[in-house]
Amino acid sequence: MDRALLTQLQQDATQPYTSLGEAVGLSAGAAHERVRKLRERGVIRRTTVEVDPDAVGSAVLAYVMVDSTSWMGDSAQDFAALPEILEAHVIAGSASVQVKVRTATTEQLQDVLRRIYAIDGDQPPAAAGGPWSPPGRSTCAPPDADRARAVGRQVVSLVGGAGQCGLD
């Protein structure tokens, strides 16, 4: 029964307890009581709102790899100070941290990248395999060599886009 309640709440957490109860075969009072107990037990941690990023002017989403010479805990406050960073995760591989960034424009994304890489000990991961090449096309150079050095070729491929390589 609790799983059915959770499923309904995940679809629409604003529905009245009457509708919630009807959907799972409970009265409104019983549904309310079970939801209250789920909150008390910590099964339901919070209720949030899902916002359409395009509607609020934050259409650009990027996952950025950061190689850090310091432990994530040492940079966590610096990452948290950048409101454009939605999440930061310690990862294994060619980079040590992956951050999820949302901005309104690619220019704002570039500004955020500069601020990320200005954090002491953070740098772009080494580019693997040379310059970015779109599928089925020859290799193209990053559009701006200074920007490529500043943010790393892997990120330039995301920021520069196909138009930067002379694609139709």
Side-chain angles (χ1 to χ4, degrees):
M1 186 62 59
D2 288 346
R3 288 185 192 273
L5 282 169
L6 292 170
T7 298
Q8 289 296 315
L9 289 169
Q10 286 175 316
Q11 291 173 7
D12 180 6
T14 65
Q15 62 185 300
Y17 287 110
T18 306
S19 300
L20 184 61
E22 285 175 8
V24 298
L26 294 173
S27 68
H32 181 264
E33 185 62 19
R34 289 188 89 114
V35 170
R36 184 186 64 75
K37 287 181 180 179
L38 288 167
R39 287 183 192 278
E40 282 179 359
R41 290 194 338 243
V43 175
I44 298 174
R45 292 186 279 182
R46 64 186 178 132
T47 304
T48 64
V49 177
E50 185 176 341
V51 177
D52 178 0
D54 291 334
V56 294
S58 295
V60 178
L61 174 65
Y63 291 89
V64 181
M65 309 302 260
V66 179
D67 198 7
S68 184
T69 58
S70 62
W71 180 246
M72 173 60 184
D74 298 338
S75 301
Q77 285 183 314
D78 295 321
F79 287 142
L82 300 175
E84 299 88 353
I85 294 180
L86 306 177
E87 300 173 14
H89 304 275
V90 175
I91 60 172
S94 63
S96 54
V97 179
Q98 178 182 25
V99 293
K100 181 179 179 181
V101 178
R102 188 169 287 281
T103 63
T105 66
T106 56
E107 290 79 15
Q108 288 175 348
L109 175 59
Q110 291 173 15
D111 177 61
V112 172
L113 294 173
R114 286 183 192 95
R115 288 185 280 146
I116 289 171
Y117 296 130
I119 295 172
D120 189 36
D122 290 348
Q123 60 191 17
W132 176 71
S133 178
R137 298 290 183 132
S138 62
T139 301
C140 64
D144 177 319
D146 291 332
R147 187 172 76 189
R149 281 190 289 280
V151 300
R153 287 186 177 132
Q154 292 173 338
V155 177
V156 169
S157 69
L158 173 114
V159 174
Q164 298 294 326
C165 295
L167 301 177
D168 301 328

